[in-house]
Amino acid sequence: MTDLTKKFAQFLLLGDTVRSFKIIEKLLHEGFTSLYIYENVIKEALYYIGYLWEIDEISVADEHLATGTADYVLTKLDFHLDQNDEQVIGSQKQVMLFCIEGEEHYVGIKMAASIFKQNSWNVKYLGPNLPLQHAIYYANKSKPDVICLSVTVSHHLKNLPEYIQTLEMLDHKPTIILGSRLAEKYDLSKFISNQTLIVPNLENLTAFINGQLIGIEA
């Protein structure tokens, strides 16, 4: 982790939205891409904050404050990028993104939603903790080309098979993508079918969107 990323993490823990975003703004002015910022600054800072929580250096309240601050920074970054991007509404492919039931760690899937949006997809971001029946309802209603679901905490993996099996049975046959940092630690093949793509990071997601990656099969 760079000193800049650690500094960003410290501002998140302070709930300092102004100085947090100034770091992001400076990187943008220096020519760094949003993908670089997501992967190497925001994600790494949140991983570091999670580590601090695991070793009891910070409390759950501290972690929640940091997450809320990161959420604000992401929203402001999205607004900044939208101002510099003209999108043609109505002609894009559509993607639906959410975290499975019980999963409250949503920053990763929110960054994924931003990546799709920057690539001119019609994005339906449904946020954290979405019960399966509501996911199915909205998928049938909106008929997205791609459905991305996210899981971050290992004890939620037990819920994956039901989600995957049900989503794969949708009549309009969307592409199903599982986004999870857990792919770097666990073999997720026992939780999903080989029809679902595993995309463990935003670089792989960008490659998928650009047609350079079919996916990482289970």
Side-chain angles (χ1 to χ4, degrees):
M1 184 193 323
T2 65
D3 290 340
L4 182 66
T5 301
K6 188 171 287 189
K7 185 176 182 181
F8 180 72
Q10 290 168 349
F11 288 153
L12 294 183
L13 287 166
L14 290 171
D16 192 330
T17 56
V18 174
R19 287 193 287 180
S20 294
F21 189 72
K22 278 186 176 179
I23 287 178
I24 302 305
E25 200 170 33
K26 185 174 184 292
L27 289 169
L28 287 172
H29 288 161
E30 290 174 353
F32 289 93
T33 65
S34 58
L35 177 59
Y36 176 89
I37 291 169
Y38 294 146
E39 284 281 11
N40 297 285
V41 181
I42 299 175
K43 186 181 81 171
E44 289 301 316
L46 290 173
Y47 281 6
Y48 173 64
I49 289 166
Y51 167 73
L52 293 179
W53 174 78
E54 288 174 359
I55 63 173
D56 292 326
E57 287 283 334
I58 61 171
S59 70
V60 171
D62 292 318
E63 185 185 26
H64 284 199
L65 176 61
T67 300
T69 307
D71 190 354
Y72 172 88
V73 169
L74 279 174
T75 300
K76 193 167 182 178
L77 176 56
D78 271 352
F79 179 74
H80 176 88
L81 294 170
D82 284 347
Q83 288 183 311
N84 298 305
D85 184 33
E86 295 183 5
Q87 296 190 23
V88 181
I89 303 301
S91 63
Q92 314 104 311
K93 290 183 178 180
Q94 184 178 131
V95 58
M96 168 181 160
L97 307 97
F98 63 92
C99 300
I100 69 172
E101 186 169 9
E103 183 60 70
E104 298 287 352
H105 294 79
Y106 62 89
V107 175
I109 198 75
K110 185 169 182 175
M111 289 191 289
S114 296
I115 292 291
F116 274 105
K117 189 175 182 182
Q118 290 165 39
N119 284 274
S120 298
W121 282 59
N122 182 358
V123 174
K124 305 299 182 185
Y125 169 65
L126 278 63
N129 192 23
L130 187 68
L132 178 57
Q133 67 268 29
H134 298 296
I136 296 303
Y137 161 78
Y138 197 82
N140 281 320
K141 175 183 176 181
S142 62
K143 293 182 170 48
D145 300 281
V146 172
I147 296 177
C148 290
L149 60 160
S150 175
V151 57
T152 301
V153 180
S154 58
H155 67 255
H156 292 140
L157 289 172
K158 64 182 183 297
N159 299 323
L160 266 181
E162 185 180 9
Y163 271 83
I164 298 300
Q165 291 165 17
T166 307
L167 292 170
E168 287 180 348
M169 291 174 63
L170 288 168
D171 290 340
H172 71 283
K173 301 299 181 186
T175 299
I176 310 299
I177 291 178
L178 171 62
S180 179
R181 67 176 185 177
L182 296 175
E184 299 173 358
K185 297 182 178 180
Y186 300 98
D187 175 11
L188 299 183
S189 62
K190 54 189 170 185
F191 299 103
I192 68 172
S193 86
N194 58 12
Q195 298 178 53
T196 293
L197 309 179
I198 301 171
V199 179
N201 57 56
L202 297 175
E203 291 177 350
N204 287 126
L205 180 64
T206 301
F208 167 81
I209 292 170
N210 293 330
Q212 298 168 347
L213 178 75
I214 296 175
I216 302 173
E217 295 185 356

